Amino acid sequence: MEFQLSEEQKLMRQMVRSFAEEVVKPRAAEMDETDEFPMDIFKEAGKLGLLAVNYPEEYGGSGADSISTVLASMELGRVSAAVSNICASIRHHLFIMYNYGTEEQKRKYMPGMSSGEIIGSFALTESGAGSDATGIKTEARLDGDHYIINGNKTFITLGPVADFTIVFAVTDPSKKAKGITAFIVEKGTPGFSVGKKEKKMGQKGNPVSDLIFSDCRVPKSNMLGAEGEGIKIALHSLDSGRIEVAALAVGLMQASLEASVDYAENRVQFGQKIGNFQLIQAFIAQMAADLDAASLLTYRAAALKDSGKKFTREASIAKWFATEAAMKHTTNAIQIHGGYGYCKDYPVERYFRDAKLTQIYEGTNQIQQIVIAREVMKGGWQSNY
Ligand SMILES: Cc1cc2nc3c(=O)[nH]c(=O)nc-3n(C[C@H](O)[C@H](O)[C@H](O)COP(=O)(O)OP(=O)(O)OC[C@H]3O[C@@H](n4cnc5c(N)ncnc54)[C@H](O)[C@@H]3O)c2cc1C
């Protein structure tokens, strides 16, 4: 077992840290204030190869591994959860395209997605189907060489700015979960429109909206994967996405720890710096220990993913542990900052708002526990790693 990052991985981390510090950090508070999608930062991330870190160069990727990917998510998450999530979302769509797209679909979309010229989205959730994704009602009816899609999707990340979406629709209601199929629908297709944009608590600048499909005709060739394979594709890609959410949460914890240490070293009460008080030190010690544990779980899940073995259990454990820890420690970072932490002059209140979402999306933390228990009880109690 190797606990050292390779030289390539260290270089990747250094490169992302420079980009994060010099380009993203100075804009993070403004993004949180305006809630505007940072198109220029996004394009720059594409040029640096941060959108397709772990995809082959022939499809526009950087050809690195999944550890490098989570390092990128951690470093971006340390300065802006919104930017980290935007980049991770693109990789979520790339994961589907790479693993399930035809060669023609890969060549058409992946290079542009990797460079930041084409933005995608992932449209599974509906108002009546969140945790229970198999309950979706959006339907795709075969009509000659086309499918006609009808239905509404909700909470779709990047929905307002995406050039295409991967939409999941029922093609055969009699087959239940095995009757759901994925399709690519491009912006501008008649019958496809963007609905209301959500006003979120955090991760502002990363837009989320409804998507509406009203007699939207797409050619059969827009099917992604095989007919009836939709739920398998969605769940497989969510396993991968969960590792990225864990990494983002690690980034938020790192930022909270750094801000807390800095404040504890400088704030004076009762004639001494508050960092001298053991109750403040307890906060710091717990943050540092959970940060290490969450990082290691995230690296383990990423390494397992690259080994080609099943990583469902490890991804859910990393996501659950890291995001619960991030919520706890972003809250404690505010406590260390006292009243100042509750106000916008310090970034810790943003970390706290940004962390909350990590417990909800890519499967809530209640769903992660169901997944972990299911995997363990069917004999996977010992990690595949
Ligand atoms: C900002 C944001 C971005 C998102 N981006 C996307 C996206 O890009 N694409 C997409 O398709 N979706 C997206 N989602 C949707 C997200 O995945 C869902 O919100 C999430 O899966 C939960 O579904 P829900 O909100 O309907 O809650 P519900 O499923 O209604 O859950 C409500 C509560 O019940 C709990 N619960 C549900 N079932 C069980 C159970 N069996 N046992 C115990 N507890 C349970 C949940 O954990 C939760 O606490 C996004 C959501 C948000 C908020």
Side-chain angles (χ1 to χ4, degrees):
M1 189 168 288
E2 179 61 75
F3 278 104
Q4 291 293 317
L5 294 178
S6 69
E7 284 312 309
E8 290 81 15
Q9 289 160 347
K10 283 183 194 159
L11 279 173
M12 165 64 76
R13 184 169 64 181
Q14 191 49 50
M15 187 266 280
V16 185
R17 176 153 303 200
S18 302
F19 171 67
E21 282 289 327
E22 289 158 26
V23 179
V24 184
K25 192 173 178 181
R27 297 271 299 285
E30 169 207 314
M31 229 184 295
D32 184 49
E33 210 54 53
T34 61
D35 198 12
E36 275 171 23
F37 180 72
M39 188 62 91
D40 55 336
I41 291 178
F42 176 71
K43 297 262 184 212
E44 195 59 31
K47 276 192 206 142
L48 288 174
L50 301 187
L51 303 177
V53 180
N54 56 328
Y55 290 95
E57 288 168 16
E58 63 170 313
Y59 298 117
S62 302
D65 59 8
S66 294
I67 298 282
S68 303
T69 307
V70 297
L71 289 169
S73 278
M74 288 171 182
E75 289 300 326
L76 290 174
R78 179 177 158 270
V79 296
S80 167
V83 171
S84 183
N85 188 2
I86 288 167
C87 296
S89 296
I90 300 297
R91 285 191 291 276
H92 185 176
H93 317 141
L94 280 164
F95 181 92
I96 297 177
M97 205 57 91
Y98 182 64
N99 286 292
Y100 297 96
T102 61
E103 194 54 36
E104 200 183 336
Q105 288 167 339
K106 285 184 206 173
R107 301 247 170 241
K108 180 172 178 192
Y109 293 102
M110 286 187 69
M113 292 165 76
S114 304
S115 64
E117 281 147 63
I118 302 176
I119 301 177
S121 72
F122 169 88
L124 178 64
T125 303
E126 299 178 3
S127 57
S131 298
D132 179 12
T134 60
I136 62 169
K137 295 277 182 271
T138 295
E139 57 162 30
R141 187 170 46 81
L142 188 60
D143 181 36
D145 283 343
H146 286 74
Y147 278 90
I148 302 177
I149 305 177
N150 278 292
N152 289 354
K153 296 291 177 178
T154 196
F155 293 139
I156 307 309
T157 299
L158 299 174
V161 293
D163 299 296
F164 76 91
T165 190
I166 298 167
V167 64
F168 295 82
V170 177
T171 42
D172 185 346
S174 71
K175 290 190 179 155
K176 306 245 168 35
K178 291 196 172 156
I180 292 172
T181 305
F183 296 91
I184 298 168
V185 182
E186 293 188 358
K187 184 167 137 184
T189 307
F192 173 40
S193 57
V194 175
K196 112 178 133 73
K197 184 180 157 193
E198 299 294 344
K199 291 183 182 162
K200 300 192 271 81
M201 172 200 269
Q203 300 206 12
K204 294 188 183 181
N206 183 13
V208 168
S209 72
D210 285 359
L211 294 181
I212 301 158
F213 301 85
S214 177
D215 287 333
C216 174
R217 282 174 75 84
V218 294
K220 260 181 167 176
S221 57
N222 281 28
M223 190 185 285
L224 196 43
E227 187 173 337
E229 217 181 9
I231 284 296
K232 179 183 149 197
I233 294 172
L235 296 183
H236 188 201
S237 70
L238 285 168
D239 282 350
S240 173
R242 284 164 188 167
I243 304 175
E244 298 253 19
V245 180
L248 188 163
V250 167
L252 278 169
M253 258 189 282
Q254 176 76 42
S256 299
L257 178 60
E258 288 173 23
S260 298
V261 169
D262 189 47
Y263 197 80
E265 287 289 355
N266 290 295
R267 175 69 173 170
V268 173
Q269 289 292 282
F270 299 99
Q272 55 186 308
K273 58 185 186 183
I274 61 168
N276 285 345
F277 303 138
Q278 288 180 346
L279 287 174
I280 297 290
Q281 290 173 7
F283 279 139
I284 304 277
Q286 287 167 24
M287 272 184 202
D290 279 350
L291 176 61
D292 272 5
S295 305
L296 291 170
L297 287 172
T298 306
Y299 294 142
R300 180 182 72 163
L304 193 58
K305 179 182 160 193
D306 277 352
S307 76
K309 292 182 190 151
K310 192 173 181 210
F311 57 96
T312 303
R313 171 187 179 276
E314 287 73 13
S316 282
I317 288 177
K319 196 267 187 187
W320 179 38
F321 184 88
T323 60
E324 289 295 315
M327 198 66 242
K328 175 178 166 187
H329 297 306
T330 53
T331 309
N332 288 346
I334 295 179
Q335 199 67 21
I336 290 172
H337 284 68
Y340 297 99
Y342 194 66
C343 301
K344 285 184 185 273
D345 285 349
Y346 286 88
V348 287
E349 63 82 35
R350 169 162 56 86
Y351 303 157
F352 164 86
R353 286 185 287 108
D354 288 350
K356 187 62 213 173
L357 180 57
T358 65
Q359 295 178 306
I360 297 170
Y361 68 172
E362 307 283 86
T364 67
N365 281 3
Q366 286 67 45
I367 296 302
Q368 304 312 317
Q369 290 169 74
I370 292 171
V371 171
I372 295 162
R374 189 188 60 212
E375 291 293 314
V376 169
M377 287 161 78
K378 72 182 185 199
W381 60 272
Q382 199 167 20
S383 175
N384 286 324
Y385 187 62

